[in-house]
Amino acid sequence: MHGNLLFIRIFISTCMVKNDFITNDNDHIFHFDVCIIGGGIAGNFLASLLCSSYSNSLNSPISVCVVEEHSEIGFPFQCAGIVSQKLLSLVRIPKEIVLNRIDKAYLYSPNLQSICVSAQERPVVINRIAFDKYFAKKALEHGAVYFMKEKFLRFKQINKKLVEVQTNHRKITCNILVGADGPISQVGRQFGHKNIVIPAAQVRARINHPYNITSMYFNDRWRELFGYIVPEGKNGISRIGLACQHHTLQKLKQFLQILHVSSLSIEDRQGGIIPIGVPNRFVWDNVVLIGDSAGFVKATTGGGIIMILSAAKILAPAIFSALNNQDFSYQFFRRKYQRPFKRTLGIELKIHFLIRIFLLNLRKADYKRLFKFYQLSKIQKMVFDDADMDFPGRIIKKLLMTSEFWRYILPISFRYLKLVPIFIRIILT
């Protein structure tokens, strides 16, 4: 029976893609406990959690729908796909989704001076398309309904317990609306929520690069982030990209020239946008944001998978509690979701943003000083033992306690006293 239900749900979702099954039924209003806008990793993982782990006060499954504007989950592909090894303890995924493990990282200064950084943590490179599809399939298996190739248009709050969502094909009512619709969230925009974003571009190319080493190139031309090489594994293909505010494609071309990557070696190209900043408000009456929509992205790397998965594990029980208590107010979601996030993951995202501001203001000579600092054996051991690509708070605290940090970094910091008010404002946000 379960298999038949799954077949029906998949059939419905597939038919919706083709627009020949209830997609134009504007006279019928569908109702769900939770309506999620966006079928990326944030929406799919949250849907899978809600459908598989929770039931309402009547002990029946929470009804969840996901509205996704594209015709296939996982597309367009817009991610470098390198994630900390915490992923493997945070969620269970099939082994084939993990394509590679990274042992070391080479960091290159603007003048191409380099250092090799290694740590106990060994990041994984994942098949991001398969990763997204895996959680969408789990959500479907446990009862979620997917409205594919369907665009969210707007919503309105009918009363304290009901929201009406309008797509280009139908009306949906729900108790809770979740915006997981990317950096330029149309859900968030109805409340005036806007993320600061930077464009990103990437290619997949066949190059001669060690399969277990990732490389990061710092350069004034793409100073908002860095250029990167992420090898997919032993297939000889690497993901090469960068993010910057202006002329992104032109600068990616320059980066590829520096790396001597010919156009003939390029397999395909991707592009997207990355939210950069510190999450502030992401809950309202009946409405919450998660993922890129809320700005849950590390300003140092542009990645956010661990933050998104961790946030969903805070939001899912909050939604469960809201449904059981019939309380969908801003105050409730602030207490159960926004505050717990900001007190834990939010602090780490602030640290990432402060590091990014510091790096944005470095001169070429400063990189030389930073690299010398890292080459101290004491610092290398500290980084090896405690470096964490998601939660840098611990290693930063330890570095601040060393005399070497102040000897090497303080002269740089004195030049940027103008940044102090900015740092204070971010910390107090």
Side-chain angles (χ1 to χ4, degrees):
M1 182 65 181
H2 177 75
N4 291 336
L5 288 174
L6 173 59
F7 173 79
I8 291 169
R9 292 185 189 110
I10 294 175
F11 175 74
I12 289 174
S13 294
T14 304
C15 289
M16 287 176 179
V17 175
K18 298 177 181 178
N19 288 336
D20 60 4
F21 187 82
I22 70 172
T23 49
N24 294 313
D25 184 3
N26 291 314
D27 295 328
H28 181 76
I29 298 179
F30 295 84
H31 177 77
F32 296 89
D33 296 323
V34 182
C35 176
I36 300 172
I37 308 301
I41 185 56
N44 293 330
F45 183 62
L46 179 63
S48 71
L49 283 179
L50 291 172
C51 292
S52 63
S53 303
Y54 297 95
S55 57
N56 61 26
S57 58
L58 300 176
N59 204 32
S60 61
I62 293 175
S63 60
V64 178
C65 76
V66 179
V67 177
E68 169 54 43
E69 65 178 339
H70 297 101
S71 60
E72 186 174 355
I73 296 294
F75 291 91
F77 173 57
Q78 299 175 334
C79 181
I82 184 168
V83 192
S84 75
Q85 66 185 22
K86 283 188 288 295
L87 176 71
L88 304 180
S89 58
L90 196 58
V91 294
R92 291 183 179 179
I93 54 175
K95 290 189 293 184
E96 57 268 23
I97 288 178
V98 177
L99 302 176
N100 196 15
R101 297 295 295 264
I102 301 297
D103 296 322
K104 299 176 182 179
Y106 276 86
L107 277 60
Y108 292 86
S109 69
N111 62 4
L112 297 183
Q113 177 190 3
S114 67
I115 55 171
C116 177
V117 178
S118 59
Q120 289 192 56
E121 183 172 40
R122 295 179 62 223
V124 297
V125 180
I126 61 172
N127 181 334
R128 181 58 196 273
I129 296 171
F131 185 67
D132 286 14
K133 285 185 174 181
Y134 173 72
F135 287 107
K137 183 181 178 183
K138 282 192 68 175
L140 272 169
E141 287 174 348
H142 288 92
V145 173
Y146 275 68
F147 296 106
M148 299 298 296
K149 207 174 180 180
E150 189 151 325
K151 188 174 179 60
F152 165 81
L153 299 178
R154 59 190 170 273
F155 72 88
K156 65 179 180 181
Q157 291 165 303
I158 298 174
N159 52 48
K160 291 183 179 182
K161 295 187 178 182
L162 210 59
V163 173
E164 182 181 274
V165 176
Q166 179 70 61
T167 75
N168 59 332
H169 289 306
R170 75 190 78 252
K171 287 182 180 179
I172 301 167
T173 61
C174 61
N175 302 116
I176 301 167
L177 175 63
V178 180
D181 50 334
I184 306 177
S185 170
Q186 296 305 310
V187 175
R189 285 201 165 196
Q190 284 201 217
F191 291 107
H193 174 91
K194 291 184 180 180
N195 292 312
I196 298 171
V197 299
I198 57 174
Q202 173 179 276
V203 300
R204 294 175 66 250
R206 293 190 176 276
I207 63 171
N208 184 19
H209 190 277
Y211 75 92
N212 61 339
I213 294 174
T214 186
S215 300
M216 290 172 275
Y217 291 78
F218 296 89
N219 193 295
D220 287 342
R221 283 176 284 183
W222 46 83
R223 61 199 303 268
E224 289 86 358
L225 205 58
F226 51 76
Y228 59 83
I229 303 175
V230 176
E232 290 186 350
K234 295 181 180 180
N235 63 357
I237 297 177
S238 291
R239 301 165 187 175
I240 307 169
L242 53 77
C244 60
Q245 196 65 56
H246 304 290
H247 310 296
T248 308
L249 293 177
Q250 177 185 336
K251 290 172 184 177
L252 176 60
K253 185 178 179 180
Q254 295 170 357
F255 182 40
L256 294 174
Q257 289 172 347
I258 291 172
L259 299 176
H260 305 291
V261 176
S262 71
S263 58
L264 295 176
S265 67
I266 295 175
E267 298 283 319
D268 48 61
R269 300 173 181 269
Q270 298 91 36
I273 52 176
I274 300 172
I276 297 292
V278 176
N280 188 11
R281 180 175 177 178
F282 42 90
V283 302
W284 298 267
D285 291 338
N286 303 89
V287 182
V288 299
L289 302 180
I290 190 172
D292 288 3
S293 304
F296 296 169
V297 173
K298 299 177 292 185
T300 52
T301 67
I305 289 177
I306 297 298
M307 297 296 179
I308 290 169
L309 300 179
S310 301
K313 289 193 172 188
I314 298 174
L315 178 55
I319 288 175
F320 167 68
S321 180
L323 289 167
N324 277 337
N325 290 288
Q326 289 295 289
D327 186 349
F328 312 112
S329 65
Y330 159 69
Q331 291 80 4
F332 183 88
F333 283 116
R334 184 186 179 204
R335 184 173 72 254
K336 294 287 188 177
Y337 173 43
Q338 183 168 286
R339 279 181 178 171
F341 178 93
K342 294 180 81 169
R343 288 171 178 169
T344 52
L345 302 170
I347 291 174
E348 299 293 340
L349 288 177
K350 281 185 180 181
I351 295 171
H352 280 286
F353 192 53
L354 293 172
I355 295 171
R356 170 50 47 197
I357 292 175
F358 178 76
L359 293 174
L360 272 172
N361 287 275
L362 290 183
R363 302 173 184 174
K364 290 182 179 180
D366 296 333
Y367 282 96
K368 184 176 181 180
R369 195 173 189 90
L370 278 175
F371 284 10
K372 280 187 175 181
F373 171 66
Y374 172 75
Q375 288 167 341
L376 298 171
S377 58
K378 175 181 177 180
I379 303 304
Q380 286 190 25
K381 184 179 186 307
M382 195 175 292
V383 170
F384 182 85
D385 291 340
D386 297 306
D388 189 317
M389 59 190 289
D390 298 302
F391 307 128
R394 181 179 177 184
I395 184 65
I396 292 295
K397 184 178 179 180
K398 284 196 170 186
L399 290 173
L400 287 170
M401 300 297 289
T402 66
S403 59
E404 290 84 356
F405 178 88
W406 297 106
R407 188 165 72 248
Y408 277 83
I409 308 303
L410 198 59
I412 298 175
S413 304
F414 272 135
R415 291 206 305 272
Y416 303 117
L417 290 176
K418 62 181 180 181
L419 298 178
V420 172
I422 299 174
F423 277 35
I424 293 173
R425 186 169 68 249
I426 292 169
I427 291 169
L428 296 177
T429 301

